Amino acid sequence: MLKECLGKSALKEPHIQQIVELFSQNYEKYHYNNLLNVNETNELLNSEDFNCVYILSDDKLVGFAGIYLKSEKKATVKEYLLAHLLVDKNERGKGLGNVLEDLRLKMIAQDHEDKIIFASCVEKPMYSMKIKSARNFVVNGFRYKYRNKNDNFENSVVMINSDHIAKKEALIVPDAASVTKKLIQNGNPYVRFKKNNRFIQHKYGIKKVCTFSNRNTYALSSDEESSLDIKEALNQIELSPDRYISVKFPLSINGFSEVDKSLLEAGFLPVCYIPYAKEYYGLIEYQYLPNGIDNIITDDSISIEGKKFLKKIFK
């Protein structure tokens, strides 16, 4: 008999071990570092910013899905990241993936504030993407060779749902390159761009915020403690064509036009935009792609949905 469970509070000690076994035995290509063993899984479950839903079959855990709160609790718009959806191989074909997705959306719906929900989906197989498409998620990001296990690269498709923004208003931001504007307006058509002939030399800070075996992500900021000009800040990035290297920051950053131009000149391209995040302005991410986008669009490993999105933004 199957039992649907919302929230981590009812998880028992044997279930923690079963989560580790579920991920170690059912992910053919890779699985998440923080679900490798009981100690790290416990640490994740004890985090205030993480919750989950799961399915039990006669008290054995056969399906699991995680929810991260990526924003401050007092943020104008809450940011929820969906991750770690997995069903036991022996239970597949029964629609449990759909059940898990509905359970975690039901759980998020208990938060009645404005919110953006997003996920970074494995591109192939397209099961996760299809589940989200059926629930009004749309593609607004593509990360090339985002995951790697034993030189087995996988792309990631970022999907968003912004249905839970009560009032969508026009947002004025500094001008940007045409490709950047396409990406932003694909996620939030209410964004308007304004040219500004005044040039102000802003100062920036940069720090590495995410490091995995094959990828580094940097956060760019422009606060009172920042002391670098944009070129100096970008020079802090350790570039490698064999790793996923990206820079992300909110659209509210000082000198957005200058930042956008400098990133493009340095071989970065805008690949992902999460609208309404970071106090409504949204969060944009640029990936280091020094060889451009044309050879990526023609890559046979990319799904039809991935190619469709890339052509929409870059062509």
Side-chain angles (χ1 to χ4, degrees), residues 51-66:
N51 215 325
C52 64
V53 299
Y54 54 99
I55 297 174
L56 301 176
S57 177
D58 297 325
D59 209 40
K60 179 187 176 184
L61 192 141
V62 295
F64 181 87

Side-chain angles (χ1 to χ4, degrees), residues 13-164:
E13 190 172 333
H15 298 148
I16 311 300
Q17 180 62 47
Q18 289 168 14
I19 292 171
V20 175
E21 292 172 358
L22 178 72
F23 279 84
S24 62
Q25 295 172 9
N26 292 276
Y27 262 28
E28 296 86 355
K29 297 176 183 176
Y30 68 91
H31 62 102
Y32 297 92
N33 293 341
N34 49 8
L35 296 167
L36 283 171
N37 58 59
V38 170
N39 288 338
E40 292 187 7
T41 302
N42 263 319
E43 186 177 339
L44 176 64
L45 291 169
N46 288 330
S47 168
E48 289 185 3
D49 301 327
F50 181 81
N51 215 325
C52 64
V53 299
Y54 54 99
I55 297 174
L56 301 176
S57 177
D58 297 325
D59 209 40
K60 179 187 176 184
L61 192 141
V62 295
F64 181 87
I67 306 165
Y68 290 88
L69 177 63
K70 301 295 286 184
S71 59
E72 298 290 335
K73 290 183 179 179
K74 294 182 179 180
T76 305
V77 176
K78 298 287 188 64
E79 303 163 37
Y80 287 99
L81 169 65
L82 307 183
H84 315 323
L85 190 154
L86 187 62
V87 174
D88 189 298
K89 289 179 182 177
N90 299 320
E91 300 291 336
R92 292 178 186 174
K94 302 177 182 179
L96 297 190
N98 283 288
V99 173
L100 286 166
E101 197 68 278
D102 287 336
L103 284 175
R104 61 181 173 183
L105 292 177
K106 179 181 179 181
M107 191 169 184
I108 291 172
Q110 294 174 1
D111 179 352
H112 299 292
E113 298 183 47
D114 279 8
K115 51 189 163 287
I116 182 79
I117 308 170
F118 61 101
S120 185
C121 302
V122 174
E123 189 185 29
K124 291 184 178 180
M126 293 178 63
Y127 184 62
S128 179
M129 292 172 61
K130 288 180 179 178
I131 287 178
K132 289 171 180 63
S133 292
R135 288 156 180 81
N136 214 25
F137 282 73
V138 296
V139 177
N140 207 46
F142 185 89
R143 294 160 168 164
Y144 186 59
K145 293 187 176 181
Y146 184 67
R147 298 180 175 93
N148 176 30
K149 176 96 183 219
N150 300 325
D151 291 329
N152 182 21
F153 291 96
E154 283 189 344
N155 308 316
S156 177
V157 174
V158 179
M159 303 189 73
I160 59 170
N161 182 309
S162 57
D163 291 347
H164 306 283

Side-chain angles (χ1 to χ4, degrees), residues 113-258:
E113 298 183 47
D114 279 8
K115 51 189 163 287
I116 182 79
I117 308 170
F118 61 101
S120 185
C121 302
V122 174
E123 189 185 29
K124 291 184 178 180
M126 293 178 63
Y127 184 62
S128 179
M129 292 172 61
K130 288 180 179 178
I131 287 178
K132 289 171 180 63
S133 292
R135 288 156 180 81
N136 214 25
F137 282 73
V138 296
V139 177
N140 207 46
F142 185 89
R143 294 160 168 164
Y144 186 59
K145 293 187 176 181
Y146 184 67
R147 298 180 175 93
N148 176 30
K149 176 96 183 219
N150 300 325
D151 291 329
N152 182 21
F153 291 96
E154 283 189 344
N155 308 316
S156 177
V157 174
V158 179
M159 303 189 73
I160 59 170
N161 182 309
S162 57
D163 291 347
H164 306 283
I165 305 295
K167 188 176 181 181
K168 299 179 180 179
E169 300 175 348
L171 183 65
I172 308 298
V173 300
D175 203 16
S178 60
V179 63
T180 307
K181 291 193 281 191
K182 276 188 191 178
L183 175 69
I184 292 169
Q185 290 185 320
N186 188 67
N188 182 358
Y190 296 93
V191 174
R192 299 291 180 266
F193 297 90
K194 182 179 180 181
K195 291 186 178 181
N196 187 349
N197 295 325
R198 292 179 61 199
F199 177 78
I200 301 174
Q201 185 79 36
H202 295 286
K203 295 296 182 180
Y204 300 91
I206 194 164
K207 64 180 179 178
K208 194 182 294 184
V209 292
C210 181
T211 303
F212 286 98
S213 59
N214 73 301
R215 66 182 188 263
N216 294 334
T217 297
Y218 294 81
L220 188 69
S221 59
S222 58
D223 52 33
E224 292 180 357
E225 298 178 1
S226 302
S227 59
L228 305 171
D229 66 38
I230 186 59
K231 296 233 167 102
E232 289 173 332
L234 297 184
N235 283 338
Q236 305 297 309
I237 299 172
E238 301 168 22
L239 297 176
S240 170
D242 300 321
R243 296 174 66 81
Y244 180 89
I245 307 292
S246 71
V247 180
K248 61 183 180 180
F249 53 89
L251 290 195
S252 56
I253 195 168
N254 290 330
F256 173 58
S257 298
E258 174 191 2

